[in-house]
C-alpha cells in the first residue's frame, strides 16, 4: 500500500471522528434546551375542600379602589451570614409560586452570578424570587459573592391582582432560566406549562372571590396645607408608606392606609388637600374583630382635628351601628381567607393580593 493511500485512509478516519464529535456536541446542546416536560404534583397545597366553599360559585373580582396593596410588610427573615452552616429560613412557597430548578455542572461563584440577578426579579407583572444551594448543600435566600453554588431555584408568582400567570410570562421565566443554563453550563427542570397555567388559574379564581376592600372618605371642604394634614395624621399614629400613610398593627403590617385623592405624596409640592381616602385592604390586613370599626374611630378623630366630614364610599354619612354590621361580615371573610390557605395579613396573602 502506497504512502498516498495510507494518508488518505488516515485523513478519512480523522474526518469521521470530527463529524462524530460535532454531532455529540450538538446533541448535548439541544438536549439542554429541550427539557420542557416534567411532572408536577397532583396535590395543590393551596386549594383544598375549603377553597371551593370559600369561592361560593362563579367568582367576580372586586377590583381595588385605591391602587396597590399596602407595602408595610412584616420584617422578612434575615439571611444568614455567608459561609454559615445554617440554612436561610425563607423558602419558595409552593402554594403561590412555581419553581424552575437550575443545576450547575460545576459550582459557580456568587460573584459570577450576581450580575444576572437583576433580570430575575420579574417577568411581566409577576415577581420572581431567587434561591440557591451552595456547594456545601446550604440553602440560601440570597446569592453572596463569597460562596459557590451548585444550583439555583427561580420561584415565579402564580397570581396577583394583575391576574393569573400567563403563558407569555411563564415563557419569559423559562427563557431566562435557559439563558442562565447556557451561560454557566447547567440543566434546567420545571413543571409542564399547561399544569402551571391551570394552577395559576385556580389560585386566581380563589383570590378573586375573596378580594375585598372597604373605604371611607374625608371631605376637608376648603383646601388645607399638605404639611398640616401630614402633621395631624402622624400625631394620630400613621407612618410613611410610599405615597400613602399606613396605620400599623403590632407586627408592622398595615391595618389600613390614608391617601390623598390625587394620589400624590403628602410632602409633594405646595398645593392644598381637599379630600382624603381611608382604605382597609381586607386580605392584606391582619384579622381583627374590629377591623372596620378601628378605621372608623381613627377616621372620626382625623375628621374632628381637620374640621372634615367623614362619609362612606357612596358619599353618605356613616349610619349608627354600621361598624358592627360590617365587622361581622368581615369576620366571615377572614375565616374564608384562613380556610383557603391565605390568612389575612400573611406574607402569602400580601404576595397574591398585590
Amino acid at each position: 500500500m502506497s504512502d498516498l493511500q495510507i494518508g488518505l485512509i488516515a485523513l478519512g478516519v480523522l474526518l469521521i471522528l470530527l463529524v462524530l464529535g460535532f454531532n455529540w456536541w450538538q446533541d448535548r446542546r439541544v438536549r439542554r434546551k429541550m427539557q420542557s416536560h416534567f411532572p408536577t404534583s397532583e396535590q395543590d397545597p393551596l386549594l383544598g375542600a375549603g377553597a371551593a366553599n370559600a369561592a361560593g360559585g362563579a367568582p367576580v373580582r372586586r377590583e381595588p379602589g385605591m391602587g396597590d396593596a399596602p407595602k408595610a410588610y412584616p420584617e422578612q427573615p434575615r439571611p444568614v451570614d455567608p459561609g454559615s452552616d445554617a440554612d436561610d429560613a425563607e423558602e419558595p412557597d409552593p402554594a403561590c409560586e412555581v419553581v424552575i430548578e437550575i443545576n450547575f455542572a460545576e459550582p459557580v461563584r456568587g460573584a459570577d452570578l450576581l450580575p444576572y440577578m437583576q433580570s430575575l426579579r420579574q417577568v411581566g407583572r409577576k415577581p420572581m424570587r431567587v434561591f440557591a444551594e451552595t456547594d456545601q448543600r446550604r440553602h440560601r435566600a440570597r446569592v453572596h459573592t463569597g460562596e459557590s453554588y451548585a444550583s439555583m431555584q427561580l420561584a415565579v408568582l402564580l397570581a396577583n391582582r394583575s391576574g393569573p400567570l400567563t403563558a407569555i410570562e411563564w415563557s419569559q421565566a423559562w427563557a431566562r432560566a435557559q439563558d442562565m443554563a447556557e451561560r454557566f453550563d447547567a440543566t434546567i427542570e420545571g413543571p409542564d406549562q399547561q399544569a402551571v397555567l391551570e394552577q395559576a388559574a385556580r389560585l386566581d379564581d380563589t383570590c378573586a372571590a375573596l378580594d375585598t376592600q372597604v373605604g371611607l372618605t374625608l371631605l376637608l371642604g376648603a383646601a388645607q396645607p399638605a404639611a398640616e394634614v401630614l402633621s395631624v395624621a402622624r400625631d394620630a399614629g400613621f407612618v410613611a408608606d410610599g405615597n400613602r400613610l399606613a396605620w400599623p398593627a403590632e407586627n408592622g403590617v398595615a391595618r389600613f392606609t390614608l391617601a390623598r385623592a390625587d394620589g400624590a405624596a403628602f410632602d409633594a409640592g405646595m398645593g392644598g388637600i381637599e379630600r382624603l381616602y381611608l382604605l382597609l385592604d381586607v386580605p392584606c390586613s391582619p384579622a381583627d374583630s374590629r377591623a372596620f370599626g378601628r378605621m372608623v374611630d381613627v377616621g372620626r378623630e382625623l375628621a374632628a382635628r381637620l374640621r372634615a366630614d367623614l362619609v362612606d364610599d357612596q358619599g353618605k354619612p356613616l349610619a349608627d351601628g354600621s361598624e358592627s354590621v360590617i365587622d361581622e361580615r368581615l369576620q366571615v371573610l377572614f375565616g374564608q381567607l384562613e380556610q383557603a390557605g391565605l390568612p389575612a395579613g400573611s406574607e402569602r396573602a400580601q404576595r397574591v393580593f398585590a
Side-chain angles (χ1 to χ4, degrees), residues 221-243:
Q224 299 190 30
E228 292 184 12
V229 174
L230 178 59
S231 177
V232 169
R234 284 178 170 167
D235 287 344
F238 284 92
V239 297
D241 179 26
N243 285 353

Side-chain angles (χ1 to χ4, degrees), residues 57-348:
V60 178
R61 184 184 294 277
R62 284 163 284 186
E63 293 295 344
M66 286 286 296
D68 297 334
K71 298 297 177 62
Y73 300 129
E75 184 178 354
Q76 300 293 327
R78 293 179 179 271
V80 299
D81 293 333
S84 169
D85 288 338
D87 291 333
D88 287 355
E90 192 176 354
E91 295 182 344
D93 185 349
C96 64
E97 294 175 312
V98 62
V99 174
I100 301 174
E101 291 272 354
I102 303 174
N103 297 296
F104 302 117
E106 298 291 338
V108 179
R109 296 188 311 153
D112 295 330
L113 293 172
L114 282 174
Y116 303 97
M117 293 299 102
Q118 185 65 33
S119 67
L120 303 178
R121 293 182 182 273
Q122 188 162 333
V123 284
R125 295 186 177 184
K126 303 298 181 298
M128 291 197 300
R129 297 192 294 163
V130 176
F131 300 89
E133 186 177 75
T134 72
D135 54 354
Q136 302 299 314
R137 301 303 177 190
R138 300 303 179 191
H139 171 73
R140 295 289 182 252
R142 305 287 186 276
V143 171
H144 302 283
T145 56
E147 293 183 324
S148 294
Y149 298 93
S151 66
M152 286 177 54
Q153 298 79 44
L154 305 185
V156 189
L157 189 66
L158 284 165
N160 55 15
R161 279 176 170 153
S162 71
L165 183 71
T166 66
I168 292 176
E169 290 170 333
W170 174 245
S171 296
Q172 290 175 345
W174 192 262
R176 293 178 192 180
Q178 284 185 318
D179 181 62
M180 290 288 292
E182 291 180 0
R183 290 177 185 273
F184 297 103
D185 189 21
T187 59
I188 58 175
E189 300 179 12
D192 175 72
Q193 174 175 294
Q194 188 59 36
V196 169
L197 300 183
E198 290 174 359
Q199 186 181 357
R202 292 195 301 272
L203 175 58
D204 184 64
D205 287 344
T206 299
C207 294
L210 300 173
D211 195 357
T212 301
Q213 296 180 329
V214 184
L216 296 171
T217 302
L218 282 161
L219 303 175
L220 279 62
Q224 299 190 30
E228 292 184 12
V229 174
L230 178 59
S231 177
V232 169
R234 284 178 170 167
D235 287 344
F238 284 92
V239 297
D241 179 26
N243 285 353
R244 302 172 297 184
L245 301 175
W247 182 278
E250 293 76 9
N251 62 357
V253 178
R255 291 191 182 278
F256 46 85
T257 57
L258 180 70
R260 294 174 52 156
D262 58 8
F266 280 85
D267 57 357
M270 301 297 292
I273 297 176
E274 298 180 358
R275 184 183 300 239
L276 294 168
Y277 291 140
L278 282 163
L279 182 70
L280 171 62
D281 192 337
V282 179
C284 297
S285 175
D288 182 359
S289 61
R290 294 196 68 248
F292 181 68
R294 193 186 304 271
M295 185 171 72
V296 170
D297 291 345
V298 174
R300 285 174 174 158
E301 179 185 349
L302 287 175
R305 298 180 65 176
L306 295 170
R307 302 174 302 282
D309 294 322
L310 183 67
V311 298
D312 62 18
D313 54 5
Q314 302 298 319
K316 299 178 181 179
L318 292 177
D320 292 338
S322 60
E323 304 99 296
S324 299
V325 174
I326 293 176
D327 274 328
E328 287 179 4
R329 295 175 181 173
L330 293 183
Q331 293 314 299
V332 175
L333 184 57
F334 285 138
Q336 291 174 334
L337 285 162
E338 183 77 30
Q339 190 177 26
L342 296 164
S346 65
E347 292 182 24
R348 180 184 295 166

